[in-house]
Amino acid sequence: MQAARRRLVPMLLLFGLALASGCGDRMPTGPQPAAPSADLIGSLLGATGLLKCSNLPYASTTQTVGTAGGILSAGPHKLVIPPGALIRPTAITMTLRTGLGANAVKFQPEGLRFQVPAVLTMSYANCSLLGKLLPKRIAYTTDNLQILYYLLSLDNLFSKYVTGKLSHFSSYAIAW
């Protein structure tokens, strides 16, 4: 019995190797599943979308901010412009965008650049967090809320605020 097993094991190994090597140059006859791509894996593991939020009431504020800096607020969101960020007094408008299903703000004048980064703090207290335990980030977006890139952000899960540094004005929204 032992001798038969000793002969059977090498034969099974050879048979398995022959099957694994393909036994010829034939192409598979049926459809083969696609190999997972890095994009698919990245999107499953990474944060990839805007946080879904209930609408906040419309809010807008305009303030002239000089070289000493200043603070603007629209709804629960706040922008802090540090001293030295602007080279001359500038009228700045911060508008809370509503009716989009996301917490978003827009700043004007569009494209304004800071010498020192400004700090934007956005609330997500009115947002659905079901299944979204990943850290929240502030995303730089188009007017249609397409994410262009993410700002380096710090999420405070307990107070439901996320803070990020911006170097220029445009539209921003909270993402996960």
Side-chain angles (χ1 to χ4, degrees):
M1 187 72 172
Q2 289 284 6
R5 273 194 201 164
R6 284 188 201 143
R7 282 183 279 166
L8 183 60
V9 170
M11 287 183 5
L12 288 174
L13 286 174
L14 285 174
F15 181 71
L17 286 174
L19 285 177
S21 69
C23 293
D25 295 334
R26 294 181 300 178
M27 294 295 291
T29 55
Q32 299 296 308
S37 71
D39 292 340
L40 174 62
I41 293 170
S43 67
L44 291 175
L45 298 178
T48 58
L50 295 178
L51 205 55
K52 301 292 181 213
C53 306
S54 61
N55 288 325
L56 292 170
Y58 175 83
S60 182
T61 185
T62 300
Q63 180 178 328
T64 299
V65 179
T67 58
I71 299 174
L72 283 89
S73 295
H77 313 307
K78 178 173 69 172
L79 176 72
V80 177
I81 301 170
L86 297 171
I87 55 175
R88 68 175 96 38
T90 306
I92 294 175
T93 301
M94 179 179 183
T95 305
L96 176 63
R97 299 180 62 198
T98 61
L100 303 171
N103 279 2
V105 292
K106 182 172 180 76
F107 294 101
Q108 292 177 328
E110 178 99 15
L112 175 69
R113 297 211 170 264
F114 297 109
Q115 303 299 309
V116 177
V119 177
L120 175 61
T121 300
M122 297 182 73
S123 169
Y124 56 88
N126 64 313
C127 300
S128 169
L129 300 179
L130 184 63
K132 295 177 180 69
L133 296 177
L134 294 172
K136 311 315 169 273
R137 301 182 282 180
I138 296 177
Y140 167 45
T141 68
T142 65
D143 287 340
N144 296 330
L145 294 181
Q146 293 175 315
I147 298 172
L148 299 173
Y149 62 84
Y150 297 99
L151 302 180
L152 182 60
S153 305
L154 180 63
D155 183 11
N156 185 330
L157 291 168
F158 298 108
S159 66
K160 296 187 180 178
Y161 279 93
V162 61
T163 301
K165 290 185 176 184
L166 16 141
S167 59
H168 65 88
F169 272 167
S170 192
S171 296
Y172 298 91
I174 299 178
W176 55 274

